[in-house]
Amino acid sequence: MANLRLPGPTPVPPDVYKAMSKEMIDHRGVEFAEMLRRTTANLKRAFQTENDLYVLTSSGTGAMEAAVVNTLSPGERVLGVTIGNFGDRFLKIASAYGASVNELKFPDGDVAIPEQIRQALKDDPDVTTVLVTHNETSTGITNDLETIAGIVKGEFDKMILVDAISSMGSIKLPVDEWGLDVVVAGSQKGWMCPPGLAMISFSERAWKAAETSKMPKFYFSLAEAEKSLKMGQTPWTPAISLLFGLDYAVQQMLARGDMQAVYDFHQEIAQYTRDGLKAMGIGLVAKDERFASNTVTAAWVPEGITDEALLAMLRDEYDIIAAEGRGLLTGRVFRIGHMGYVNQEDIDDVFGALKDALPKLGRQASAVGQA
């Protein structure tokens, strides 16, 4: 079996696969209603929120679209904070539906600087909403969302929409404590499930914005999701087998006692990964390791070889599936996912493969850092 070291989809444990193999049930019946209500309640515990929460049959990008179209109107002024490829995507969605996006872009490898967000909001008082990615998997960076939210909410009283697809369930993100209005996540990340489900939490303020939102919506209408959830249903046909798996997986995560145990695990395995790469002289994209992601590490491809050659050798000779760079980092970096169903042995296998592969590609492991 290949060692799947992607930032999503991530490996799925055998017991989750087993849960997914149950017989099909009526998605308008009592058994499904019980499962949906239980899963929703448990996800709210994991999100650490009392806000409304919905499970959508879609990728995480679908939930990002839902966040935008249920709260904004065409022409509405939005501040889009981006530190990489997936932050760019959030802004593109808002722009596609007619929002007037003021882009605040930081260089790849940098974290969003709270003071610049503060200044952008001072300079553009017509902004009603801020879009921000918590954890940017293209660069392996986690934004200081607590501080950012404190500025957006506490100082300027703006609405904040958060892409937490690759962080929620793996990195500390207490929705209510930080006052986050809309937060989206995806099943294929730290939740240890296959792709195909997304989750979205929605605050009272978000609902107030929804009352005046004029962006078109149908499949992603959260008003429809709310009406259906009251009946223990989803408005459209759900991915029932995926819900079987998510229901089971979230129960197992919460069985650890609290989410802090999950956060601690991811911090430890991430630090182990970063330390091992640096010991081989491989440079990290994260310029300040305090903000390096605990779910994926982006590292520079050693000078003199190509990302295609490195990734192909890892795949073909060592059964290790690592990820390529995205956006402006395409061809320059490779990424190692370490979220969800992962252990130290999985990461050791990556280290062993790199130590063996790099000399074959013409680089010694002691001289592979990025200048």
Side-chain angles (χ1 to χ4, degrees):
M1 178 183 295
N3 185 351
L4 195 64
R5 297 272 55 87
L6 301 175
T10 62
V12 176
D15 51 351
V16 174
Y17 278 127
K18 183 177 179 180
M20 291 172 55
S21 68
K22 292 191 294 187
E23 290 185 6
M24 196 53 52
I25 60 174
D26 176 11
H27 66 300
R28 305 298 183 208
V30 174
E31 186 178 356
F32 180 85
E34 292 175 349
M35 177 176 66
L36 181 61
R37 287 174 174 139
R38 178 176 61 245
T39 303
T40 302
N42 283 336
L43 284 168
K44 289 173 71 169
R45 287 179 58 194
F47 274 57
Q48 298 174 68
T49 186
E50 296 297 324
N51 291 338
D52 292 327
L53 185 144
Y54 308 98
V55 180
L56 311 176
T57 295
S58 81
S59 66
T61 301
M64 293 166 71
E65 185 164 318
V68 168
V69 301
N70 283 278
T71 58
L72 302 177
S73 295
E76 191 165 347
R77 193 69 173 152
V78 172
L79 176 64
V81 180
T82 176
I83 60 171
N85 184 68
F86 294 100
D88 294 347
R89 179 179 297 181
F90 213 175
L91 276 59
K92 289 176 182 176
I93 293 170
S95 295
Y97 280 93
S100 175
V101 178
N102 175 10
E103 179 182 294
L104 179 59
K105 187 172 180 64
F106 294 88
D108 288 332
D110 283 347
V111 68
I113 300 173
E115 179 54 41
Q116 292 190 30
I117 296 173
R118 178 183 287 115
Q119 189 61 50
L121 290 172
K122 286 181 181 177
D123 293 343
D124 195 351
D126 291 335
V127 164
T128 66
T129 304
V130 175
L131 311 181
V132 63
T133 300
H134 182 210
N135 186 72
E136 177 60 60
T137 56
S138 70
T139 59
I141 301 292
T142 303
N143 275 320
D144 181 3
L145 185 58
E146 181 177 11
T147 299
I148 292 171
I151 293 169
V152 173
K153 302 286 293 186
E155 297 182 26
F156 292 90
D157 193 30
K158 308 293 186 180
M159 187 165 59
I160 185 167
L161 313 184
V162 179
D163 165 13
I165 293 170
S166 61
S167 59
M168 180 60 77
S170 302
I171 300 172
K172 181 181 177 182
L173 184 53
V175 170
D176 289 357
E177 181 182 330
W178 292 356
L180 308 176
D181 293 300
V182 183
V183 180
V184 304
S187 59
Q188 78 278 17
K189 304 293 185 175
W191 306 99
M192 301 177 288
C193 289
L197 294 177
M199 316 100 182
I200 181 168
S201 65
F202 216 67
S203 72
E204 289 185 11
R205 178 164 186 169
W207 278 120
K208 189 168 183 61
E211 293 175 2
T212 57
S213 170
K214 292 183 174 57
M215 286 186 177
K217 46 197 159 281
F218 184 82
Y219 184 83
F220 290 120
S221 168
L222 295 186
E224 294 297 324
E226 171 62 16
K227 286 191 292 186
S228 294
L229 185 58
K230 288 178 179 177
M231 298 183 290
Q233 299 178 13
T234 56
W236 328 117
T237 305
I240 297 173
S241 294
L242 294 179
L243 270 164
F244 285 149
L246 184 62
D247 177 35
Y248 176 84
V250 177
Q251 290 183 64
Q252 298 307 302
M253 291 172 66
L254 294 174
R256 299 189 186 192
D258 59 30
M259 291 302 294
Q260 189 59 48
V262 177
Y263 306 148
D264 289 345
F265 165 78
H266 282 90
Q267 194 283 324
E268 291 164 6
I269 197 74
Q271 192 62 55
Y272 185 77
T273 304
R274 293 190 289 265
D275 289 345
L277 290 172
K278 289 188 298 180
M280 285 187 279
I282 298 176
L284 307 181
V285 175
K287 296 175 183 177
D288 186 339
E289 200 171 326
R290 292 178 301 165
F291 301 105
S293 170
N294 285 343
T295 60
V296 58
T297 295
W300 296 108
V301 174
E303 186 177 349
I305 65 174
T306 67
D307 64 329
E308 290 182 354
L310 176 60
L311 294 172
M313 183 170 284
L314 290 176
R315 179 189 66 237
D316 297 339
E317 297 192 22
Y318 305 96
D319 282 336
I320 291 170
I321 313 300
E324 73 284 357
R326 298 294 299 268
L328 295 176
L329 295 180
T330 299
R332 301 170 60 202
V333 310
F334 68 103
R335 297 175 294 149
I336 300 169
H338 36 74
M339 68 183 99
Y341 185 51
V342 60
N343 57 38
Q344 185 173 309
E345 183 178 348
D346 295 324
I347 304 302
D348 285 338
D349 288 345
V350 176
F351 294 157
L354 285 169
K355 289 176 182 177
D356 196 50
L358 289 171
K360 294 179 182 179
L361 293 167
R363 297 289 295 179
Q364 295 299 317
S366 61
V368 295
Q370 169 76 8

